[in-house]
Amino acid sequence: MRVRNTKKRKQRYLLWISIFMIFLGLCFFFLWMTPKIALKGEKTITININSIYKEQGAKAYYQGKNISKEIQMDGKINTKKQGTYQVVYSIKKGFFKRKVTRNVIVKDVESPKIELIGDETIYLCPGSTYEELGYKAVDNVDGDLTKKVKIKVEKDQIIYTVQDKSNNKATLHRKFIYKDIEPPQMILTGGEVFSIPQNTVYEELGYQAMDRCDGDVTKQVKVTGEVNTKQIGTYEIFYEVEDKEGNVQKVKRTVYVVEPQKNGTIYLTFDDGPKQGTTDVILDILKEEGVKATFFVTNGGPDSLIKREADEGHTVALHTASHNYQTVYSSVEGYFNDLQIVHDRVLRITGQDARIIRFPGGSSNTISRRYQPGIMTTLTKEVLLRGYRYYDWNISSGDAGETTSSEGVYQNVVRSLSKSRTNMILFHDTKSYTANAIQSIIRYGKNNGYTFAAIEPQTKMVTHSVNN
Ligand SMILES: [Zn+2]
């Protein structure tokens, strides 16, 4: 009985062990048959709205092998819209499936930007109060936040703050320094360049000086320099003024004492040359008639003709190198660069520092509006400040298109001549019908009591009114 009992117990024990072993085996079997998956990177990622979401992926193993390539990904992220998105990575092998999830939070994490109108450090007149110069605030999501900007004024600064809907904050400071750093501004009545005829009386034309902090300081202006109107030449008058903080402004007026207008003088002026075949014909006639003229040259034609113009006592003047309206009238810098080229050409050929100029199309041209509105207003002042003198005309021979015959050129000139003024006549020495009309014009002038002259630095400027 006791032996049987022991035997029975032994059998039951073995049975339990077997069941347990089978269970353990099954466990290992399931574990072996189940794929494993894990995220690469963080489980929760926050990215800025409108930025790019970079997928980091996941890795998966099955029976000790890397099967990451078989991972299926689900879920869409709209980076243009705020919210929480999910990306699900799953892997399946037989009946066994596993998955992991990543949370992607798209939100506005960018601060608005504040932009100040005016400098970040500003100088205020001592004792004055600050007046807001303005500002702008823009947010990547909320757009224009200018109206939401809060301003705090402190003793020596202003603090601008703004917050977007996602509570991103921006702060900017504007500093004050109570000091006058600007010299007074001075305006010369009558301009910075002025011409007066010889033997007349020069009187101070007047001036005004205003300081940003001190106000009108005209009475403090010191004037030095003299103009001798008995002597033809260039004179300079200096104006100097200082404000309370010691900021000094200096301005200069250039005064030309010029020949009194000689009525009945004819200035023959030729543009656009030199040109072989026409300029040389004109030079021959001028030589034969003993008449001096003015040539406004460009970069075209042979050097030898410019040399001949100078050698035979004519005035070599400048008309720009390219004569291209777009090149010379698109910018002030473009004009002076082009003028410099022809200036240097004349200097190289003749040794002369030519200072007499004529604008292509004249100072009254309107074509320059197409390239730079207002440029003639600037250039007509700037050329004088740079030591040039420009001459337009008061008689046009019409040889640029109105007429193409010598008879036409002759008639246009002769009927416009006047003894009660100077006669500044526009010709083009690039036209053969002009060359052929010159001798008759000179003969007419001589027979009717006119005199001929070339433009010289002291010749009174003949100028059109500016239209641009
Ligand atoms: Zn021209």
Side-chain angles (χ1 to χ4, degrees):
M1 188 71 180
R2 200 180 170 91
V3 173
R4 262 187 78 179
N5 264 354
T6 311
K7 204 176 178 183
K8 221 176 190 175
R9 210 185 292 158
K10 215 175 189 173
Q11 275 174 348
R12 204 182 294 156
Y13 178 70
L14 277 171
L15 182 70
W16 278 116
I17 289 235
S18 307
I19 288 169
F20 179 71
M21 290 302 283
I22 287 163
F23 175 74
L24 214 63
L26 277 172
C27 279
F28 277 115
F29 175 72
F30 279 115
L31 224 61
W32 179 247
M33 294 298 288
T34 312
K36 283 156 206 71
I37 187 162
L39 285 177
K40 282 189 192 168
E42 300 294 322
K43 178 154 176 62
T44 301
I45 300 178
T46 303
I47 62 164
N48 193 15
I49 189 164
N50 294 327
S51 66
I52 293 162
Y53 168 69
K54 221 177 143 189
E55 182 52 59
Q56 288 172 280
K59 48 194 173 180
Y61 290 92
Y62 179 64
Q63 296 178 357
K65 272 192 297 182
N66 188 335
I67 53 159
S68 301
K69 280 180 186 162
E70 294 170 40
I71 292 173
Q72 272 221 329
M73 250 175 54
D74 283 301
K76 268 189 187 155
I77 295 157
N78 184 357
T79 56
K80 290 191 170 65
K81 211 181 151 199
Q82 303 202 49
T84 302
Y85 301 88
Q86 287 192 325
V87 189
V88 179
Y89 308 82
S90 52
I91 188 90
K92 203 179 163 193
K93 277 287 169 192
F95 298 108
F96 302 100
K97 196 177 170 184
R98 296 294 310 272
K99 64 174 185 180
V100 282
T101 305
R102 187 190 328 267
N103 298 313
V104 179
I105 301 165
V106 174
K107 91 184 211 196
D108 178 16
V109 295
E110 208 174 306
S111 295
K113 283 181 181 64
I114 305 176
E115 232 179 81
L116 295 182
I117 297 167
D119 294 336
E120 285 193 22
T121 301
I122 54 167
Y123 290 87
L124 294 176
C125 291
S128 68
T129 47
Y130 171 71
E131 269 175 53
E132 183 51 51
L133 294 172
Y135 47 84
K136 268 193 258 178
V138 180
D139 185 60
N140 58 325
V141 175
D142 302 351
D144 191 342
L145 289 181
T146 304
K147 284 183 180 159
K148 297 263 166 76
V149 175
K150 289 195 177 110
I151 298 180
K152 199 177 154 204
V153 185
E154 292 183 350
K155 201 183 161 197
D156 60 348
Q157 68 172 356
I158 289 194
I159 303 163
Y160 303 83
T161 49
V162 70
Q163 208 168 10
D164 67 13
K165 279 181 190 153
S166 306
N167 293 331
N168 299 301
K169 239 186 180 183
T171 308
L172 204 62
H173 300 244
R174 197 198 302 261
K175 285 220 164 78
F176 301 149
I177 297 172
Y178 287 91
K179 191 175 192 273
D180 180 9
I181 58 158
E182 277 177 44
Q185 287 207 324
M186 194 136 41
I187 297 165
L188 299 182
T189 314
E192 292 179 14
V193 177
F194 185 71
S195 292
I196 80 162
Q198 192 181 16
N199 296 324
T200 52
V201 179
Y202 173 74
E203 275 176 56
E204 175 53 47
L205 299 162
Y207 46 85
Q208 206 186 0
M210 292 292 290
D211 188 62
R212 197 169 68 96
C213 294
D214 301 353
D216 192 332
V217 290
T218 305
K219 283 183 182 161
Q220 274 98 290
V221 175
K222 284 178 197 137
V223 185
T224 53
E226 265 178 51
V227 176
N228 180 3
T229 55
K230 291 201 168 59
Q231 185 79 43
I232 284 173
T234 308
Y235 300 88
E236 287 177 333
I237 307 286
F238 299 94
Y239 304 80
E240 190 174 324
V241 67
E242 190 176 332
D243 67 13
K244 279 180 195 156
E245 293 259 9
N247 300 301
V248 176
Q249 180 68 268
K250 289 180 186 174
V251 179
K252 164 182 102 172
R253 186 181 340 248
T254 304
V255 179
Y256 293 99
V257 174
V258 299
E259 269 181 358
Q261 186 167 301
K262 281 185 200 152
N263 293 339
T265 306
I266 292 175
Y267 293 92
L268 302 172
T269 73
F270 299 93
D271 288 11
D272 297 4
K275 192 185 171 194
Q276 192 70 49
T278 47
T279 305
D280 45 338
V281 171
I282 290 168
L283 284 168
D284 289 344
I285 294 165
L286 294 171
K287 196 174 193 179
E288 191 188 330
E289 296 291 338
V291 162
K292 303 292 179 241
T294 306
F295 292 87
F296 290 93
V297 301
T298 67
N299 233 18
D303 288 358
S304 58
L305 284 174
I306 290 181
K307 174 116 180 42
R308 210 187 135 189
E309 287 166 3
D311 288 350
E312 294 179 7
H314 304 294
T315 297
V316 181
L318 313 175
H319 195 33
T320 70
S322 69
H323 203 294
N324 179 301
Y325 290 119
Q326 186 172 359
T327 309
V328 301
Y329 292 145
S330 288
S331 69
V332 171
E333 203 196 343
Y335 172 81
F336 281 104
N337 286 343
D338 196 276
L339 186 68
Q340 192 65 42
I341 294 169
V342 71
H343 172 274
D344 293 349
R345 182 192 189 195
V346 170
L347 182 66
R348 174 173 57 79
I349 300 167
T350 69
Q352 293 173 2
D353 173 23
R355 291 281 149 186
I356 291 163
I357 63 170
R358 176 172 286 162
F359 293 105
S363 67
S364 57
N365 81 79
T366 51
I367 196 165
S368 56
R369 285 182 194 159
R370 212 183 286 176
Y371 306 105
Q372 179 75 261
I375 193 164
M376 295 317 299
T377 306
T378 310
L379 286 180
T380 48
K381 287 179 189 142
E382 193 60 32
V383 291
L384 299 176
L385 293 174
R386 298 196 191 195
Y388 294 100
R389 288 167 68 72
Y390 70 94
Y391 292 81
D392 288 313
W393 55 91
N394 53 24
I395 297 176
S396 171
S397 67
D399 67 350
E402 189 202 312
T403 181
T404 53
S405 72
S406 298
E407 180 60 20
V409 169
Y410 175 83
Q411 288 300 340
N412 282 340
V413 171
V414 162
R415 68 161 174 252
S416 307
L417 287 173
S418 165
K419 280 210 188 127
S420 55
R421 62 168 185 189
T422 58
N423 299 276
M424 186 72 66
I425 313 172
L426 169 68
F427 295 102
H428 293 84
D429 55 324
T430 51
K431 312 284 187 184
S432 56
Y433 46 85
T434 298
N436 296 331
I438 289 300
Q439 193 146 29
S440 312
I441 290 168
I442 293 172
R443 294 268 167 89
Y444 175 92
K446 283 180 174 175
N447 291 338
N448 289 278
Y450 290 92
T451 53
F452 292 86
I455 299 173
E456 289 179 69
Q458 66 269 27
T459 305
K460 192 175 190 297
M461 278 166 47
V462 171
T463 58
H464 294 162
S465 50
V466 171
N467 293 313
N468 175 29

